[in-house]
Amino acid sequence: MPNTYSLLCYTREATGREEANNEDIAYSMHLALRLGDDDGARWRPLNENYGIFFAAGVPIAAVPEESRRACTAAAQYAADPYEAPQPASEAVGYGAVMPGVDITLKSLKDPFLFRLADGRFGIAATRTDRGGAPDGSEKSAFLLAVSHDMTAFDQLGLVTLRTRGGVNRPSVAYDAATACYVVSWTGDDGRPYVAQTHDIEAAAGSNEPLDVARAVRSQETRYADDCGIPNAIPGNVVAITAVEAKRLDERFGRIRNVGACVPTQYADATQRGEAARNAILKLNETRAELVYSDGSQSARAVDWDEAQIEAVAQEAAEGTFGVGQTRTIEGRIRQTVYPVPFATERADPSVFAWDFNGEPMFMFIATDDTDGNCVDPHEGRTHMPLRVADSIEALSDEAGGRAREIDLLKCGDLNSEGRRMTGCFWAPELHVIGGKLSILFMPCFDGPDRNPDGTPNGRAGKPDMWTGSCHIMQLKQHADGTDFDPRDPQNWTVPEPILDSDGGTLNPVQRISLDMTVISDSGRWYYAWQQVGSIWIAGFDPSCPSRLTSRPRQIVVPEFAWDNMIAEGPNAIVHEGRIFLIYSGSLVGIDYTTGLVAAPAGANADLTDPAAWTKLDYPLQKSGVYNGRWQLGTGHGMWSHDEDGNLIYVFHNAEYDNGCYGGRDAQVRRVHWSAEGMPILDMQSDEELDPSYADITMKITAC
């Protein structure tokens, strides 16, 4: 008999931000697995006991369809009768929504899992205001979503019932005999009620409420035992197959290294002299193949015993390494564990591997976040710190990287418009654009006496972040095309503001634009950046990188309580035919998270169309324990590569001690790709490489 599994859904009591379990996270649907249906078996929380299904925010009725195109999680939502009418923001005039104004964030309670007639999963839950308070819908409706495998969800909206007497603890079951879905709940009067429909999905968002009847008895099927999960509020349990459990485990469980090997290498016994010697020495580049619990693999460089390789190379050169003979070389798989923190008070970090006229070079650049003041740190001595070294580890504070910082820009330097840049220098990113090493960043300027709406400006005459906008500066090149030395500030062009295709500001709604990055796909170049609390994108020509070539479009809107009214810090990489664009949400601090949207690569997709992107419903990375220590507020990451070509992730986390926030520190770790092709950003060191597999051997056979 094949193994069967049980899947428990639950919410949690909120315990606090320091445990990544504030109301925004607690009031979402969590999942736990166990083998079989034995009540004595232990429930294993998935996703580190963090939420997996979050209620999508609701666009207000005043937002036209064209302006809500980036609200992809709520794409199927109908107009919400439970929301009070309110005016839309100025953003809708530009085909966009403004988080916190045009979209209302939501939470949920009392989730219930059921099977649809075709075997898919359904989720019924009570929708609430963000934070768990009633939002009015609980009087006559419940939230409905469907999913093929519980790793992605289609939110269908509210199923309305013909009652105003309360819909508490809703549940749904499919009755095959009548081909009907039976909806059961408890009214505010404590009595059981039911409704029926042949098409539960069509009922969501319908203007026709389902008829209600009194039930003979309660259909309560929720889990009543102690599930053993701290602070859990159980929903119900459904049986799932081993295949479904494996899928959930691969996405939300921990992936670990379960083996390592090096294939046998072969040497040509007919070779002699230097050719034979060099062929053996080249085997020094042989990598180990690591295997993981989900079936994924990775390759890692090995530090081979040089004396042993030299001895075999000498035998080969002399012709004494004969056909059929085998030699064994010992080695240790290379695993750099970067210092934690990598760089204190350095936020929005960027590490860049670059070829400086044939010389390998690694650079680190970031926002100065001393004491959490990234607008005007050091009392008017704002700067743009650059570190340069011949290895990534040498860029770290521990290796003296901070002491070797170079200030590429300082407070008071002028931009191309002759304006004094006095603050911020936010989120500098290194890219090669049009063949030139480039830095994208946001400076800000002293604030005017009054804000655009005429109110007095509290930052008048001081660095004002709302005056900031995306700029570019590029490294100069010699007449022969070689690069000037990036370590000399004089070798960079004067920073230019990046303007729209008409020469106007990028953000006509709020002025500020920031966190710009580059995406290249199918022969087209794009900038992606943050403005109006969301991710925008537009095309540009690399030969003229200070001017857009298309109208900016909003593509990512923060729609969940976990990304909390802001999406920022985009950065993209292409892997196996997909563009992975990470972004950060939930405001700067210990609640910061990393989200993900993905689009097809090399398929000539229009990346300015929100429909080209698929959004993950939950964070790709969130606060959690890494190598035995809590890291809170992880986010604003950038993809890069280490000396061996391995993909790494550079990001910041919050300094937080005894309830005090002290800014952000940069961190570096390697990325693992799961068997299903998802990036894993929080793999522990012993999960990446089990110490018992670190020592390895390579066999060389002469043939």
Side-chain angles (χ1 to χ4, degrees):
M1 178 177 178
N3 287 335
T4 60
Y5 288 78
S6 297
L7 183 66
L8 169 71
C9 69
Y10 62 101
T11 58
R12 297 181 70 193
E13 296 174 353
T15 56
R17 304 166 65 207
E18 295 85 352
E19 299 172 321
N21 188 42
N22 61 8
E23 288 86 352
D24 288 339
I25 310 307
Y27 302 142
S28 63
M29 188 182 75
H30 300 52
L31 295 173
L33 267 179
R34 74 179 181 192
L35 179 61
D37 56 4
D38 179 8
D39 286 343
R42 182 177 65 89
W43 287 105
R44 180 165 54 87
L46 296 173
N47 203 28
E48 285 78 55
N49 205 14
Y50 195 93
I52 290 174
F53 173 72
F54 292 77
V58 180
I60 64 174
V63 176
E65 192 66 30
E66 173 62 24
S67 296
R68 57 179 285 181
R69 293 180 69 239
C71 299
T72 54
Q76 301 183 66
Y77 280 17
D80 195 325
Y82 305 97
E83 291 292 317
Q86 57 182 321
S89 75
E90 185 183 350
V92 302
Y94 297 90
V97 295
M98 182 178 291
V101 178
D102 300 317
I103 184 169
T104 305
L105 295 183
K106 296 293 182 179
S107 295
L108 63 83
K109 67 177 184 179
D110 294 331
F112 187 92
L113 288 174
F114 64 97
R115 292 283 190 174
L116 295 164
D118 60 8
R120 289 177 297 151
F121 294 95
I123 303 161
T126 299
R127 196 189 71 180
T128 71
D129 274 335
R130 178 187 174 190
D135 73 349
S137 65
E138 76 289 343
K139 288 294 184 182
S140 58
F142 65 92
L143 180 66
L144 180 70
V146 297
S147 175
H148 285 278
D149 58 9
M150 301 300 285
T151 68
F153 306 92
D154 290 325
Q155 303 212 21
L156 304 182
L158 294 172
V159 176
T160 305
L161 304 161
R162 204 177 300 280
T163 180
R164 293 293 297 171
V167 181
N168 303 296
R169 298 185 301 281
S171 64
V172 181
Y174 180 68
D175 183 351
T178 61
C180 276
Y181 292 93
V182 180
V183 182
S184 305
W185 70 95
T186 301
D188 291 343
D189 58 7
R191 296 173 176 176
Y193 293 87
V194 295
Q196 294 188 1
T197 177
H198 289 288
D199 191 341
I200 191 73
E201 294 179 74
S206 170
N207 291 324
E208 190 63 35
L210 301 182
D211 290 329
V212 173
R214 281 281 304 276
V216 175
R217 64 179 66 87
S218 173
Q219 299 296 315
E220 186 65 59
T221 55
R222 294 180 182 266
Y223 190 77
D225 296 330
D226 180 7
C227 64
I229 300 172
N231 313 113
I233 304 172
N236 71 309
V237 175
V238 295
I240 61 173
T241 67
V243 171
E244 291 170 329
K246 182 175 184 291
R247 176 82 171 115
L248 286 165
D249 215 14
E250 288 176 353
R251 176 63 68 89
F252 299 116
R254 302 300 303 182
I255 296 172
R256 65 191 186 281
N257 176 217
V258 294
C261 68
V262 176
T264 299
Q265 305 297 303
Y266 296 93
D268 185 351
T270 64
Q271 284 189 323
R272 299 288 186 275
E274 282 303 302
R277 174 185 175 79
N278 291 337
I280 297 297
L281 293 179
K282 190 170 179 56
L283 295 179
N284 213 6
E285 301 173 6
T286 304
R287 295 189 168 214
E289 297 177 1
L290 275 62
V291 181
Y292 293 85
S293 55
D294 67 333
S296 58
Q297 298 180 342
S298 69
R300 289 287 184 268
V302 179
D303 294 317
W304 295 109
D305 187 305
E306 294 184 4
Q308 292 177 356
I309 286 188
E310 175 63 34
V312 177
Q314 187 63 29
E315 286 187 89
E318 295 171 354
T320 57
F321 187 18
V323 173
Q325 293 183 332
T326 296
R327 301 289 183 265
T328 299
I329 307 297
E330 298 172 340
R332 188 168 183 84
I333 297 173
R334 190 178 302 162
Q335 184 188 35
T336 303
V337 179
Y338 296 102
V340 176
F342 187 84
T344 60
E345 299 177 327
R346 294 293 179 262
D348 317 322
S350 170
V351 165
F352 194 73
W354 191 55
D355 187 301
F356 174 44
N357 301 329
E359 173 190 344
M361 177 180 285
F362 290 91
M363 290 177 277
F364 172 90
I365 196 166
T367 303
D368 185 344
D369 199 34
T370 301
D371 296 326
N373 181 1
C374 59
V375 175
D376 188 20
H378 307 290
E379 299 179 349
R381 295 192 298 277
T382 311
H383 63 135
M384 181 187 285
L386 174 72
R387 305 182 186 186
V388 178
D390 57 5
S391 71
I392 292 175
E393 196 167 11
L395 296 168
S396 68
D397 286 357
E398 188 175 285
R402 190 184 186 97
R404 296 191 299 271
E405 282 183 346
I406 302 151
D407 288 343
L408 290 187
L409 291 173
K410 293 181 289 187
C411 177
D413 286 345
L414 304 180
N415 75 352
S416 63
E417 300 170 317
R419 302 175 67 197
R420 293 180 69 249
M421 300 178 290
T422 57
C424 297
F425 296 140
W426 281 359
E429 279 196 9
L430 290 153
H431 295 274
V432 174
I433 300 174
K436 297 178 181 179
L437 185 65
S438 306
I439 299 175
L440 301 169
F441 71 105
M442 188 206 83
C444 67
F445 309 88
D446 283 353
D449 292 338
R450 294 193 170 274
N451 294 312
D453 63 1
T455 58
N457 183 9
R459 297 296 300 178
K462 296 179 288 188
D464 178 0
M465 74 178 207
W466 293 99
T467 67
S469 66
C470 298
H471 278 57
I472 185 171
M473 54 192 285
Q474 295 188 292
L475 187 64
K476 298 174 185 176
Q477 294 180 324
H478 298 282
D480 63 358
T482 57
D483 294 294
F484 280 50
D485 192 329
R487 292 164 284 202
D488 185 347
Q490 300 302 313
N491 290 340
W492 293 85
T493 61
V494 175
E496 295 181 77
I498 296 174
L499 306 174
D500 71 14
S501 56
D502 296 324
T505 180
L506 295 184
N507 184 359
V509 179
Q510 296 172 310
R511 295 179 294 167
I512 187 172
S513 58
L514 62 152
D515 295 353
M516 185 166 273
T517 193
V518 174
I519 305 172
S520 178
D521 179 67
S522 300
R524 294 194 291 269
W525 289 71
Y526 304 87
Y527 283 136
W529 70 97
Q530 193 265 91
Q531 64 186 30
V532 196
S534 48
I535 306 300
W536 294 60
I537 194 169
F540 76 99
D541 184 342
S543 66
C544 183
S546 62
R547 185 68 66 91
L548 303 183
T549 57
S550 70
R551 181 170 69 89
R553 300 285 296 275
Q554 189 179 48
I555 57 167
V556 180
V557 172
E559 296 184 79
F560 303 106
W562 63 260
D563 54 10
N564 183 3
M565 302 208 300
I566 194 165
E568 60 185 1
N571 194 261
I573 192 170
V574 174
H575 177 76
E576 294 185 350
R578 298 179 72 199
I579 301 169
F580 291 85
L581 180 72
I582 50 176
Y583 69 94
S584 297
S586 200
L587 305 177
V588 171
I590 68 172
D591 303 322
Y592 216 40
T593 53
T594 302
L596 173 72
V597 293
N604 207 33
D606 179 7
L607 299 185
T608 68
D609 183 354
W613 299 91
T614 301
K615 183 190 297 182
L616 202 64
D617 301 270
Y618 35 82
L620 180 68
Q621 181 195 31
K622 71 275 187 190
S623 298
V625 176
Y626 176 71
N627 284 355
R629 295 173 56 187
W630 268 93
Q631 286 189 344
L632 297 171
T634 56
H636 201 119
M638 180 174 180
W639 310 103
S640 189
H641 291 86
D642 68 11
E643 296 88 337
D644 296 322
N646 301 311
L647 185 66
I648 60 172
Y649 175 59
V650 187
F651 64 100
H652 69 234
N653 70 287
E655 290 184 18
Y656 192 74
D657 186 29
N658 294 321
C660 295
Y661 171 71
R664 296 162 290 172
D665 299 336
Q667 311 291 355
V668 179
R669 61 176 72 146
R670 269 171 300 281
V671 177
H672 179 76
W673 291 97
S674 71
E676 64 165 323
M678 287 289 288
I680 308 297
L681 305 182
D682 62 350
M683 183 170 275
Q684 317 286 320
S685 295
D686 61 355
E687 291 173 333
E688 178 194 14
L689 175 61
D690 187 316
S692 64
Y693 300 124
D695 292 317
I696 201 160
T697 59
M698 169 175 60
K699 292 189 180 300
I700 306 173
T701 298
C703 57

